[in-house]
Amino acid sequence: MQSLTLTIAICCVCLVLYLKPKHALAVYFIQLLWYPSYLRLTLGTADISVSRVVISALLFRCLLNPAIKNRLRKNTLDMWVTGGIAVYTITYLLSRPSYSSIENRGGFLMDSLFVYWSARYCIRNCSDLVWLIKRVALAIVPLAVISGYESVTGRFLFLWLRKYCPWNPEIVTYYRRMGLHRAWGPFSHPIMFGCAFGMFAPLVWTLRQEPGKWGKAAPWLTLIVAAGGFFSVSSSVIGMLLAMIFVVFLEKKSWLVKPILMSFIMFCVVLEVFGTTPFYRWLLAKAAVGGGGWVWRSKLIECAMRDIDEWWLLGYGGVDPGWGAEGFLSFTDLTNEFIAYGVSYGIWGVIALVGILTVSFKMMIRCYRNSRSPQYKSLYWGFSIFLVGLIVVWTGVSFFGQATMILYGILGMIGSSANFTEKKKLATTSCRDIRRHPIHRGAISC
């Protein structure tokens, strides 16, 4: 299997070095979606995935090409993402001083920093971004069909490859939910597979403003992609999709966003002050889609708040906090991205993560308000839908593997889109129209 992995890595590297930047970035996303990240190239003690090899080649190509490098305009999100990744790296190394930690952070930098900056360099304008989204849509729709096939039939097309995973070759299957199997696809976990569909669905939705066949097909393609996420049969992913659908319907009534948000905050305050249970317990219970996972998720929040004095500085240094026993689990399952960042990187990691989300939201809101074109407005609203879905799904899951790479890739798209300049439509008059005007008739020769 290593020979196949090496062959695919070489082919993809050749493509990203030869093709135009936006085409090269499309190659990266397509192989990321279709080739399992747990199939690695073993070099000494390091296991390197195809995606890490490809994104390293793409970033170095961008940095070594002045024509690509010099046209980049930096913005606030660049600072926050780069600074956040620096925080995640430094705190990790300080709390786990070992050679294996250096290897771990090296891989993390390829999955995060390299992906973000490659997206920033390769996406120059709106047409580049739309072109990329169209190609990703063509790549992910067949995966959605496979997701449905696996969920209905229980025949997993990629799961047998798990036996070649260097660190965990065990093939695991989960119990059925709602009469359906949990689709895996080429991902390392069904939830991560579902999250990939959830993250790309809002981007596919933005294509409805495109002229011709793409505009007509976009709603149907979005429905197929969302269905692919549903077939992971994850309560977190389904909750993410429902939240996204709600925000989609708000687009034509964007003036309602602020009143709804303020009402929600006031409701949480009243519930916390006068209610018999903490507001987050009530919300998690009502938002749960099947199962009783919300009980552990609320318990996790309570444990994190109770023991904040233990983890606020540098986290737990890779040691299990011991909270699992309180939820009748054998280990602490960190099914919350914000708490996972606190446990891993201390309060500084949480601040950096919240800062990245806040800056992304502010940039998209500003761009949406300043844009006049329906295409640009749709694009910025689509990214806002993505961010809302991200926050919702992070209350029930923490990212790893391919989901992390997709996250930073889309953040790079957001960073590039904030610098887009709308083309003004110039009022032009043809020579034929001028000749027809009585004043200019016969006076102008074209």
Side-chain angles (χ1 to χ4, degrees):
M1 190 54 64
Q2 284 217 22
S3 58
L4 175 62
T5 303
L6 179 61
T7 302
I8 292 176
I10 293 173
C11 292
C12 290
V13 167
C14 292
L15 288 173
V16 300
L17 294 178
Y18 174 76
L19 297 174
K20 294 180 180 180
K22 64 178 181 181
H23 299 174
L25 188 60
V27 169
Y28 170 75
F29 277 114
I30 292 169
Q31 66 80 29
L32 181 62
L33 288 170
W34 278 91
Y35 198 72
S37 64
Y38 50 78
L39 298 180
R40 301 293 179 95
L41 298 170
T42 301
L43 299 175
T45 59
D47 296 317
I48 304 176
S49 64
V50 172
S51 57
R52 289 176 177 175
V53 175
V54 173
I55 202 63
S56 298
L58 179 56
L59 180 61
F60 287 133
R61 175 200 173 183
C62 294
L63 292 176
L64 294 175
N65 188 335
I68 300 175
K69 180 181 177 182
N70 296 336
R71 68 190 176 203
L72 179 73
R73 289 187 297 143
K74 296 182 180 180
N75 54 43
T76 309
L77 185 59
D78 298 338
M79 179 188 69
W80 272 94
V81 171
T82 305
I85 294 172
V87 169
Y88 309 148
T89 302
I90 294 170
T91 53
Y92 190 96
L93 294 175
L94 289 176
S95 60
R96 305 167 180 82
S98 66
Y99 178 76
S100 61
S101 298
I102 297 175
E103 283 188 354
N104 179 283
R105 289 299 91 179
F108 173 72
L109 288 175
M110 294 179 190
D111 295 344
S112 55
L113 190 70
F114 285 24
V115 179
Y116 177 83
W117 280 106
S118 294
R120 287 286 286 111
Y121 281 120
C122 293
I123 299 172
R124 301 170 299 172
N125 49 49
C126 186
S127 62
D128 285 349
L129 180 55
V130 171
W131 186 94
L132 177 64
I133 293 173
K134 289 178 179 178
R135 271 57 193 177
V136 171
L138 293 176
I140 202 171
V141 165
L143 268 183
V145 176
I146 290 175
S147 178
Y149 173 81
E150 290 187 347
S151 182
V152 173
T153 65
R155 298 174 183 175
F156 303 103
L157 304 183
F158 296 88
L159 193 56
W160 63 276
L161 294 170
R162 188 62 184 262
K163 63 184 179 182
Y164 297 104
C165 177
W167 63 89
N168 185 16
E170 183 181 2
I171 298 177
V172 181
T173 56
Y174 290 99
Y175 59 86
R176 298 173 69 177
R177 289 181 175 178
M178 297 184 287
L180 296 170
H181 298 272
R182 305 187 67 181
W184 284 71
F187 280 58
S188 54
H189 196 281
I191 298 178
M192 298 301 104
F193 189 42
C195 287
F197 291 109
M199 286 189 282
F200 278 121
L203 305 191
V204 179
W205 173 250
T206 64
L207 297 177
R208 73 192 186 284
Q209 296 294 345
E210 290 297 301
K213 295 180 180 180
W214 276 106
K216 295 177 182 178
W220 298 105
L221 294 176
T222 306
L223 184 62
I224 295 172
V225 174
F230 170 80
F231 285 120
S232 68
V233 202
S234 164
S235 59
S236 298
V237 175
I238 295 174
M240 175 190 195
L241 294 173
L242 291 175
M244 287 178 168
I245 292 171
F246 176 72
V247 182
V248 164
F249 285 109
L250 280 179
E251 182 172 5
K252 293 184 178 179
K253 297 183 179 180
S254 57
W255 58 272
L256 286 174
V257 172
K258 187 175 290 186
I260 290 175
L261 184 60
M262 295 303 298
S263 300
F264 174 75
I265 294 173
M266 289 301 298
F267 174 77
C268 291
V269 171
V270 172
L271 190 64
E272 182 68 21
V273 174
F274 299 102
T276 58
T277 184
F279 76 93
Y280 55 85
R281 270 187 170 268
W282 188 90
L283 289 174
L284 289 173
K286 294 299 180 182
V289 182
W294 67 269
V295 178
W296 166 245
R297 291 164 189 164
S298 59
K299 190 68 177 178
L300 191 62
I301 295 172
E302 293 166 0
C303 291
M305 292 190 296
R306 182 194 65 201
D307 298 336
I308 190 172
D309 58 317
E310 297 179 3
W311 60 262
W312 76 272
L313 184 58
L314 292 174
Y316 279 101
V319 179
D320 192 308
W323 300 335
E326 301 186 35
F328 304 102
L329 301 175
S330 59
F331 68 101
T332 304
D333 190 9
L334 295 172
T335 55
N336 186 305
E337 186 80 345
F338 301 97
I339 294 175
Y341 269 63
V343 168
S344 300
Y345 313 119
I347 197 66
W348 321 113
V350 179
I351 292 172
L353 183 62
V354 173
I356 291 171
L357 290 174
T358 303
V359 170
S360 299
F361 263 121
K362 290 179 67 176
M363 290 173 67
M364 292 301 95
I365 291 171
R366 185 187 71 246
C367 291
Y368 180 83
R369 288 176 175 173
N370 293 338
S371 62
R372 295 293 176 264
S373 166
Q375 181 189 33
Y376 282 80
K377 279 188 172 292
S378 174
L379 190 65
Y380 297 132
W381 193 268
F383 282 129
S384 300
I385 296 172
F386 159 77
L387 293 169
V388 171
L390 206 61
I391 294 172
V392 172
V393 79
W394 277 351
T395 61
V397 68
S398 56
F399 280 1
F400 60 87
Q402 285 138 297
T404 299
M405 306 171 210
I406 294 172
L407 166 65
Y408 281 97
I410 297 179
L411 286 176
M413 297 179 196
I414 292 175
S416 292
S417 68
N419 292 337
F420 289 167
T421 303
E422 293 186 49
K423 294 180 180 179
K424 297 181 180 179
K425 292 184 178 180
L426 299 177
T428 57
T429 306
S430 67
C431 291
R432 185 178 179 182
D433 293 334
I434 293 175
R435 286 196 189 99
R436 288 177 176 177
H437 198 280
I439 298 178
H440 301 286
R441 187 177 297 156
I444 297 179
S445 175
C446 297

